[in-house]
Amino acid sequence: MTIDNNTVSYKDFLKKGTVKLNDSQEFIDFINAGHDFLIENISKGRPIYGVTTGYGEAGQNYAAFEEAEELQYNLFSFHGCGVGEYLSADVSRIMTTVRMISLSKGKSGISYDLLKRFELLLDKEIYPLIPSQGSVGASGDLTPLSYIAAAIAGEREVIYKGEERPTSEVYKELGITPYKFKAKEALAIMNGTAAMSAIAIDAIEKFEILLDTSESFVASVFELLLCDITPLEPFVHDSKPFDGQKLAASNILKKCINSSLTHEAFSRYENFHLEKEQNIQDRYSIRCSPQVLGVIHDNLDIAKKWIETEINGVNDNPLIDHIGKRIYTSGNFYGGYIAHAMDTMRICVGNLADLLDKEFGLLVDHKFNKGLGESLKLNTKSTHHGFKAMQITLSSLTADVIMNTVPASLHSRPTESFNQDKVSMGTTAALHFAKQLPDLTNMLSIALMGMAQGVDLRGKEKCSAFLQNNFETIRSEVQKLTNDRRMDIDIKVVNKMIREGLFS
């Protein structure tokens, strides 16, 4: 991927590969012209926020032109107060790339030399070690991004070849000279939304696998509970044509092809009087599953569009327009779009968890599972209990997921002498979205094990080819539950399979 002042698509951004900076003389001159215009202004004694003034509430304090570099060093230094778990190497890589994209738009007043340092970090796979907590999402992700600035300056720690090491040690080993920030350059790195954006991108990539896997489980429920596929028919969803709803219905229907367990569309009208205890319609958690999942698909698309716009935007302050010869003080560092996207995705995950909990409850309950028996037991002795405790664990995880759906964007905390009095909490929203995914993955692990047990009870030959394949994948490493045994190790095995995308 070549980075310059052109738009980078979300899809292209996810491709793993080399990140290169445009090295044409035209682009180099374009970037440097912005920095030269800034230097021209401050050399004349003009006060520019964060360049020749203090930060935030200290913006009333003037610093002379000769102090501009010291001001940049102090900025990343005093923001070195992040706490919590460290972000992964993948998130750090994405975060570094995202910040590089924004700075390459030529409106931040930085030099081409600084962009080359971003390219160097990515090329050598030197990823700043970044604590996850300490940002309120305005003025952007100051504290997390200070760790990128510090790494470029040769300070703090980095992840190199899978190890956490002092940056100075890695630089010495590779013969890299620490970078000395010019006027505004540390501020340009830190006044942005790259942390929340990177966390969001990484989490969404993982969530898409879980959403596809969830649809696989929902399709298996249609089969194992002998459900009517009429609610999946295209006519239904063309009549209420939300794109996500149509997609979800189509995905589920395709996964049920050639099953001899599901009721064919419209067959219940003819068979209603022939089948014992047959309801004309299935329960809402089954019949409305395309509508539930459709909302998630559509919100996912919106989130990705907003992230794409955010990472291609200049979320810096002040903005330097060297063409129009103006300097704009503004608030593009406010991460409201990411915050709202992540808050909405957290609600989506909560609804998905609730759907899985309801459907799994039907699967294990002998009153509703149409002959699959008590707790999916293969051994009918009264001393055995099947999936009884597995349902408890799954339901417990559902509560954990749903409890994490309170919007972070509503918890704006005034900081910094009330200068940052309305903030986005975008990084918090993204972190809490990411924190839901391990619980959802474990829920799906239990659900898919129950699915396999249901296939054992119904008979593999009656299932669709898709369900048979998923059944064989699980049974390749997890034995069917005949006698009561511990299941936690099996859950971990299936969890790994899910993360590898084996049920998508």
Side-chain angles (χ1 to χ4, degrees), residues 4 121 135 183 217 315 438:
D4 48 29
L121 290 181
S135 173
F217 174 71
N315 32 61

Side-chain angles (χ1 to χ4, degrees), residues 19-187:
V19 175
K20 286 294 181 184
L21 185 64
N22 185 330
D23 60 359
S24 69
Q25 191 61 49
E26 180 183 10
F27 180 67
I28 294 172
D29 292 343
F30 171 72
I31 294 295
N32 284 334
H35 185 66
D36 292 344
F37 172 68
L38 178 67
I39 295 299
E40 178 187 334
N41 273 266
I42 64 173
S43 63
K44 295 176 181 177
R46 187 177 184 185
I48 308 295
Y49 171 76
V51 183
T52 52
T53 75
Y55 304 106
E57 183 67 14
Q60 59 189 323
N61 301 333
Y62 179 75
F65 171 73
E66 294 76 17
E67 298 174 303
E69 291 183 1
E70 179 186 352
L71 198 62
Q72 298 305 298
Y73 181 85
N74 289 344
L75 176 64
F76 77 78
S77 296
F78 81 80
H79 275 98
C81 52
V83 297
E85 295 181 5
Y86 291 114
L87 299 175
S88 68
D90 276 342
V91 172
S92 180
R93 172 183 58 80
I94 296 169
M95 189 169 157
T96 303
T97 309
V98 166
R99 199 71 209 118
M100 182 181 176
I101 292 170
S102 179
L103 296 178
S104 297
K105 305 303 178 185
K107 298 179 181 179
S108 295
I110 55 99
S111 68
Y112 187 79
D113 290 340
L114 178 61
L115 290 178
K116 289 296 290 182
R117 284 304 178 119
F118 277 86
E119 183 184 53
L120 177 67
L121 290 181
L122 294 169
D123 181 58
K124 300 295 185 183
E125 299 183 357
I126 304 170
Y127 305 130
L129 185 63
I130 305 169
S132 58
Q133 293 174 277
S135 173
V136 292
S139 302
D141 291 313
L142 291 169
T143 292
L145 283 167
S146 77
Y147 287 80
I148 293 181
I152 289 173
E155 299 190 12
R156 300 185 198 168
E157 295 79 36
V158 293
I159 304 169
Y160 181 62
K161 294 184 177 180
E163 296 182 1
E164 297 175 8
R165 297 178 58 188
T167 310
S168 58
E169 184 181 287
V170 174
Y171 274 22
K172 184 177 180 181
E173 184 177 306
L174 298 178
I176 299 172
T177 303
Y179 185 82
K180 188 173 183 179
F181 291 113
K182 304 177 182 70
K184 193 182 182 288
E185 290 189 327
L187 177 63

Side-chain angles (χ1 to χ4, degrees), residues 378 387 390 448-450 452-453 456 471-483 485-487 489-491 493-494 497:
L378 284 170
F387 274 67
M390 290 280 271
L448 292 177
M449 289 169 64
Q453 190 82 352
D456 286 319
F471 170 79
E472 294 292 351
T473 299
I474 290 177
R475 286 289 173 260
S476 68
E477 295 195 47
V478 176
Q479 295 180 354
K480 62 185 177 183
L481 180 64
T482 302
N483 299 319
R485 68 169 191 266
R486 67 181 297 184
M487 303 288 278
I489 296 173
D490 294 332
I491 292 171
V493 170
V494 179
M497 291 178 171

